[in-house]
Amino acid sequence: MKSVYYYLSVLIIFLSAFHTNKSELETIKVAQFGDVFIYIPLYLANTKGFFKEEGLKVDLINTGGDDKTYAAVIGGSALFGIADPTFVAIAKEQGIDGCVIGSIVNSVPFWALTKNPNVPQITNAAMLAPYSVATFSAPSTAYTVQTEMFKEANLPTNIRQGAFGTLLPMLDTGNADIALELEPNVSIAVANGAKVVYSFADKYPDFTFTGITTSKKTIDEKPEIVQHFINAITKAEKFAHEYPDSAAYYMAELYPDVNKNIIAQAIKRMVDSNTLPQNAVISPEAWKQAVALRHRMGDLKSLDNIESVLDMNFAEKAR
């Protein structure tokens, strides 16, 4: 008869092997437009350890463009992409298949700032007549939504285009009356005397601004990796809504040059506006709003079969 020590030894070996397998993380590459604060769920999932809980190690690749991010996914240099997901629908018209599997930023996260005391609260598009607006360069969503706002009032498109980091200085130099900005720049500007005069988060409260994209090949061949990734993102989104102060603590580690109170205010603004989604599920209305805007601007030829690129199965399971 084998002794109790034998069975204990076998159990210890088994448990050690199990622990070793669980501690081996799957390294995946994720392409993103760039290091953008509003991608909070992505960064929080990493710094809070949600990716690790799901057995993943994420390496980020900066592409510098929404189209380039999706190209990295389709080309196989990244498993997932974080950027404007409407490029999946645009590529679909060119015969390139891919999927949108979750939400990172909901609604349109641009707040209009001014330092000019003569600019009032803008309650309708016609009030923009005397003013110029600085936005990120075309074909950015900021440029697109601001162009449409001018068109609503039959006004000339009085836009000053600029790169990241150049818009607020335009207010200081007088090259623009209003600037569309993202967090945390909005909260930084407000702390320095600027005021918010309108919000596209109010105008487009349910809008798929930034999504998670992947290829059909990845879904077919690595569904467990897809699920683990979406699980981690969903945990991060729920955490931010339930514990915004704690979320600010973790984000402050990534932005040590930004005052912690500013980061807390930025996250509060995004949570309150639901710009930071409560989970990764994209609603039909949010997707419809996003692709309809691209269709109106001529980037998307048709709205037929736009739902065919959406796959919410993983996000629904995570929720």
Side-chain angles (χ1 to χ4, degrees):
M1 176 181 290
K2 294 177 178 176
S3 71
V4 66
Y5 298 106
Y6 169 82
Y7 291 106
L8 283 174
S9 298
V10 171
L11 179 60
I12 290 170
I13 291 171
F14 171 79
L15 291 176
S16 297
F18 178 77
H19 176 75
T20 300
N21 289 336
K22 289 293 286 184
S23 64
E24 292 176 356
L25 302 180
E26 178 85 16
T27 300
I28 61 172
K29 292 188 183 297
V30 177
Q32 61 173 358
F33 180 97
D35 293 319
V36 185
F37 181 88
I38 61 171
Y39 296 169
I40 291 172
L42 177 65
Y43 307 139
L44 191 57
N46 201 28
T47 59
K48 183 65 176 67
F50 294 133
F51 282 133
K52 189 174 182 180
E53 285 180 9
E54 293 294 329
L56 301 177
K57 180 181 182 298
V58 171
D59 288 342
L60 294 176
I61 304 169
N62 291 342
T63 67
D66 292 309
D67 54 340
K68 294 175 183 176
T69 297
Y70 187 50
V73 171
I74 295 303
S77 57
L79 214 57
F80 302 104
I82 309 297
D84 182 345
T86 58
F87 280 89
V88 181
I90 294 170
K92 175 78 172 179
E93 291 187 332
Q94 301 169 6
I96 301 171
D97 283 330
C99 291
V100 182
I101 58 173
S103 176
I104 293 289
V105 182
N106 186 60
S107 81
V108 178
F110 289 106
W111 285 266
L113 296 160
T114 187
K115 292 186 175 180
N116 183 344
N118 296 321
V119 178
Q121 290 293 313
I122 304 295
T123 57
N124 63 76
M127 294 176 68
L128 282 176
Y131 307 116
S132 59
V133 182
T135 77
F136 300 133
S137 300
S140 69
T141 305
Y143 178 88
T144 302
V145 294
Q146 188 58 62
T147 297
E148 191 162 70
M149 188 174 178
F150 277 116
K151 287 183 176 180
E152 283 176 10
N154 294 315
L155 296 174
T157 304
N158 193 1
I159 291 178
R160 309 285 187 265
Q161 300 181 52
F164 283 100
T166 68
L167 304 189
L168 292 179
M170 290 187 193
L171 299 182
D172 295 325
T173 60
N175 288 329
D177 300 301
I178 298 168
L180 292 192
E181 264 292 1
L182 301 165
E183 288 290 7
N185 288 348
V186 177
S187 293
I188 292 172
V190 169
N192 290 324
K195 65 178 180 179
V196 175
V197 290
Y198 59 93
S199 165
F200 279 104
D202 293 336
K203 185 176 175 61
Y204 299 98
D206 203 13
F207 185 106
T208 308
F209 185 84
T210 303
I212 306 166
T213 62
T214 193
S215 65
K216 287 194 172 183
K217 180 180 179 182
T218 296
I219 289 177
D220 292 340
E221 297 181 359
K222 300 180 178 180
E224 69 288 347
I225 298 297
V226 177
Q227 189 64 66
H228 286 309
F229 187 81
I230 294 295
N231 288 349
I233 293 294
T234 300
K235 287 178 182 180
E237 290 168 342
K238 289 181 177 180
F239 182 83
H241 276 265
E242 292 178 11
Y243 310 104
D245 290 340
S246 294
Y249 169 82
Y250 286 103
M251 289 299 291
E253 293 182 359
L254 301 177
Y255 291 84
D257 296 333
V258 181
N259 184 283
K260 290 181 180 180
N261 292 331
I262 294 292
I263 289 179
Q265 183 58 46
I267 290 178
K268 183 179 186 301
R269 196 188 307 273
M270 292 187 66
V271 167
D272 289 348
S273 64
N274 206 36
T275 299
L276 201 165
Q278 299 183 48
N279 57 69
V281 176
I282 295 173
S283 72
E285 180 62 22
W287 180 241
K288 179 182 176 182
Q289 289 289 335
V291 292
L293 177 63
R294 288 295 178 185
H295 181 251
R296 291 195 299 272
M297 299 308 295
D299 301 320
L300 194 62
K301 296 177 183 177
S302 172
L303 293 178
D304 294 339
N305 301 316
I306 56 170
E307 293 85 3
S308 64
V309 301
L310 278 185
D311 186 343
M312 290 297 104
N313 290 321
F314 300 99
E316 289 285 3
K317 288 178 182 178
R319 181 170 69 170

